[in-house]
Amino acid sequence: MREPAVSSSVELNPVNPDLGSHAGHGTHAHLCMPEDSRKRASRRLAIARGHVESIIRMLDDPEIYCMDVLRQIKAVQGALSGAGEVVLRGHLEAHVSTAHERGDANELIEELMEALKYT
Amino acid sequence: MREPAVSSSVELNPVNPDLGSHAGHGTHAHLCMPEDSRKRASRRLAIARGHVESIIRMLDDPEIYCMDVLRQIKAVQGALSGAGEVVLRGHLEAHVSTAHERGDANELIEELMEALKYT
Amino acid sequence: MREPAVSSSVELNPVNPDLGSHAGHGTHAHLCMPEDSRKRASRRLAIARGHVESIIRMLDDPEIYCMDVLRQIKAVQGALSGAGEVVLRGHLEAHVSTAHERGDANELIEELMEALKYT
Amino acid sequence: MREPAVSSSVELNPVNPDLGSHAGHGTHAHLCMPEDSRKRASRRLAIARGHVESIIRMLDDPEIYCMDVLRQIKAVQGALSGAGEVVLRGHLEAHVSTAHERGDANELIEELMEALKYT
């Protein structure tokens, strides 16, 4: 789980950049994450990382109480949900709402239903 | 959220250490997290932290695809749920299942219901 | 909660029926739920209703065990999630993937993010 | 799913009725659901059933909008979570907090962790 593969599982079609996609550096255009979403998700994940670190430090204290740890873990899960919402919103705006025009709606919807199942 | 308070919100009663609690270093005994749970939760959180770091690196890549990021965020949330289960199990074993004997069942159950609401 | 209002909170634009919407009976066209989704969601909800009824009968038995009831409640929640997935999939196919063309992407995405927050 | 089995998967030990269990009608005592929890869970489930029925009626209307249906399904899921909390609280009070005294803590905790996994 530590080294997630950075590959897309969607069949990518050449797309019109006006429809919310960015040109890839290869011969094919790709569905890339909007830059604004990347920056915002990254900032939120950096905060979540700091929070995880502080829980790891809490756990060095033999006096720590279970429920205080559980509350902190829930708080990080909330922060990660917030990061996930940033990513999802960017995806809906840039890719899903324009899928009919590009012709890849079926793939995107299958993929989205799969992702939301584990919410 | 980055510096969670390390304080218990439960009224702590002096307790019999045989009932799954550990003596505090002060004059009062506390309901402390079992050492085994602390170690196991800590290991799981260290893995989750590494995973968050790898997602932050993914987000530096302008070619990254939204759904790949979302899947990784879900995977970290699963890892955090696993850490939460370790903590919860330790709490149920050490504290909740012995609460009637100690006389603090009401406080512990209120607190547990509150924590589980946000699962 | 028993008599949910049957009104849409989205500003509805006149739409091209080819983009997955159905003409309303008034002067305006509406974003209506695809018939296939309505039928499938209805069937799943009828099964969930039968399951809720059987849990209510279980609860008349003074010998019933808490965890057996909790498991059944979880099973109904799973069935309702299934019904929700049918509705969501129909919505993504019929309305969200065509939103850019209709020009109501912003409203639909806000509304979808709000709905998914409570998943 | 419509006819859930009404059997407990826990090895039931003869128990002291003072520890939150009720005598069964056979020769063995059982861990039975507290009467107050049964009545309260039943009332909440009756409300949820009425709500499911009203959604089924909504779905007969060809004009109905997907997101309105999804919101109502979420509301029922919230009502079922409320019923589940009633059951869980009764179980924690009557059975889990007294498990150490009865000697069945391990079984109850395994079972509870399993049930909470699907929350």
Side-chain angles (χ1 to χ4, degrees):
Chain A
M1 284 291 194
R2 300 192 66 169
E3 293 299 329
V6 184
S7 66
S8 167
S9 59
V10 174
E11 267 312 302
L12 297 170
N13 308 322
V15 289
N16 172 359
D18 290 334
L19 294 178
S21 53
H22 304 233
H25 41 216
T27 49
H28 297 295
H30 295 276
L31 291 182
C32 298
M33 194 168 161
E35 186 178 359
D36 175 60
S37 301
R38 281 197 295 117
K39 304 260 191 238
R40 290 174 61 216
S42 191
R43 272 196 298 274
R44 282 172 177 252
L45 288 172
I47 292 170
R49 180 185 50 191
H51 200 159
V52 171
E53 275 160 16
S54 74
I55 306 173
I56 294 172
R57 284 195 301 273
M58 278 171 84
L59 287 165
D60 285 336
D61 176 3
E63 300 279 312
I64 194 70
Y65 178 55
C66 313
M67 285 293 100
D68 290 323
V69 176
L70 198 54
R71 274 185 209 103
Q72 297 305 328
I73 292 175
K74 302 274 175 201
V76 180
Q77 288 186 299
L80 287 170
S81 293
E85 281 173 23
V86 166
V87 177
L88 179 60
R89 181 184 289 269
H91 184 57
L92 292 170
E93 286 171 357
H95 306 137
V96 181
S97 72
T98 56
H100 186 254
E101 294 154 78
R102 259 192 334 271
D104 58 4
N106 285 352
E107 294 94 322
L108 262 68
I109 289 167
E110 282 311 315
E111 187 179 52
L112 198 50
M113 292 305 295
E114 192 60 30
L116 295 174
K117 190 168 286 179
Y118 306 112
T119 301
Chain B
M1 285 294 193
R2 301 190 66 168
E3 293 300 327
V6 184
S7 66
S8 167
S9 60
V10 174
E11 269 312 302
L12 297 170
N13 308 323
V15 288
N16 171 0
D18 289 334
L19 295 177
S21 53
H22 303 233
H25 40 218
T27 48
H28 297 294
H30 295 276
L31 291 181
C32 297
M33 194 168 160
E35 186 178 0
D36 176 60
S37 300
R38 281 198 294 119
K39 305 259 191 239
R40 290 174 61 215
S42 191
R43 272 197 297 275
R44 281 172 178 251
L45 289 171
I47 293 170
R49 179 184 52 191
H51 200 159
V52 171
E53 274 160 17
S54 76
I55 305 173
I56 293 172
R57 284 195 300 273
M58 279 171 84
L59 287 165
D60 284 337
D61 176 3
E63 299 280 312
I64 194 70
Y65 179 54
C66 313
M67 285 293 99
D68 290 324
V69 177
L70 199 53
R71 273 185 209 105
Q72 297 303 329
I73 292 175
K74 302 273 176 204
V76 181
Q77 289 187 296
L80 287 170
S81 293
E85 281 172 24
V86 166
V87 176
L88 179 60
R89 182 184 288 270
H91 184 56
L92 291 170
E93 287 171 356
H95 305 138
V96 181
S97 72
T98 55
H100 186 254
E101 294 153 78
R102 259 192 333 273
D104 58 3
N106 286 352
E107 294 95 321
L108 261 68
I109 290 166
E110 281 312 314
E111 188 180 52
L112 197 50
M113 293 304 296
E114 193 59 32
L116 296 174
K117 191 168 284 179
Y118 305 113
T119 301
Chain C
M1 285 292 195
R2 301 190 66 167
E3 293 299 327
V6 184
S7 66
S8 167
S9 59
V10 173
E11 269 312 301
L12 298 169
N13 308 323
V15 288
N16 171 359
D18 289 335
L19 294 177
S21 52
H22 304 232
H25 40 217
T27 48
H28 297 295
H30 295 275
L31 291 182
C32 298
M33 194 168 159
E35 185 177 359
D36 176 58
S37 301
R38 281 198 295 118
K39 305 258 191 240
R40 290 174 61 216
S42 191
R43 272 196 297 274
R44 282 171 177 253
L45 288 172
I47 292 169
R49 179 185 52 191
H51 201 158
V52 171
E53 275 160 15
S54 74
I55 306 174
I56 292 171
R57 284 195 301 273
M58 280 171 83
L59 287 165
D60 285 336
D61 176 4
E63 300 280 311
I64 193 71
Y65 178 55
C66 313
M67 286 293 100
D68 290 324
V69 177
L70 199 55
R71 273 185 210 105
Q72 298 303 329
I73 292 175
K74 303 273 176 203
V76 180
Q77 288 187 300
L80 288 170
S81 293
E85 281 173 23
V86 166
V87 176
L88 178 61
R89 181 184 289 268
H91 184 56
L92 291 169
E93 287 171 356
H95 306 137
V96 181
S97 72
T98 56
H100 186 253
E101 294 153 80
R102 258 190 339 270
D104 58 4
N106 285 352
E107 293 95 322
L108 262 68
I109 289 166
E110 282 311 315
E111 188 179 51
L112 197 51
M113 293 303 296
E114 192 61 32
L116 296 175
K117 190 168 286 178
Y118 305 113
T119 302
Chain D
M1 285 290 194
R2 301 191 66 167
E3 294 299 328
V6 184
S7 66
S8 168
S9 60
V10 174
E11 268 313 300
L12 297 169
N13 307 324
V15 289
N16 171 359
D18 289 334
L19 294 178
S21 52
H22 304 233
H25 41 218
T27 47
H28 296 296
H30 295 276
L31 290 182
C32 297
M33 195 168 159
E35 186 177 359
D36 175 60
S37 300
R38 282 197 295 117
K39 305 260 190 235
R40 291 174 61 215
S42 191
R43 272 197 296 275
R44 282 172 177 252
L45 288 171
I47 293 170
R49 179 185 53 192
H51 201 159
V52 172
E53 274 160 16
S54 74
I55 306 173
I56 294 172
R57 285 195 300 273
M58 279 171 84
L59 288 165
D60 285 337
D61 176 5
E63 300 279 312
I64 193 70
Y65 179 54
C66 313
M67 284 293 101
D68 290 325
V69 177
L70 199 54
R71 274 185 209 103
Q72 297 304 328
I73 292 175
K74 302 274 175 201
V76 180
Q77 288 186 298
L80 287 170
S81 293
E85 281 173 23
V86 166
V87 177
L88 179 60
R89 181 185 288 269
H91 184 56
L92 291 170
E93 287 172 356
H95 305 137
V96 181
S97 72
T98 56
H100 186 254
E101 294 153 80
R102 261 194 331 275
D104 58 4
N106 285 352
E107 294 95 320
L108 262 68
I109 290 167
E110 281 313 314
E111 187 180 51
L112 196 51
M113 293 303 296
E114 193 61 32
L116 295 174
K117 191 169 284 178
Y118 305 112
T119 301

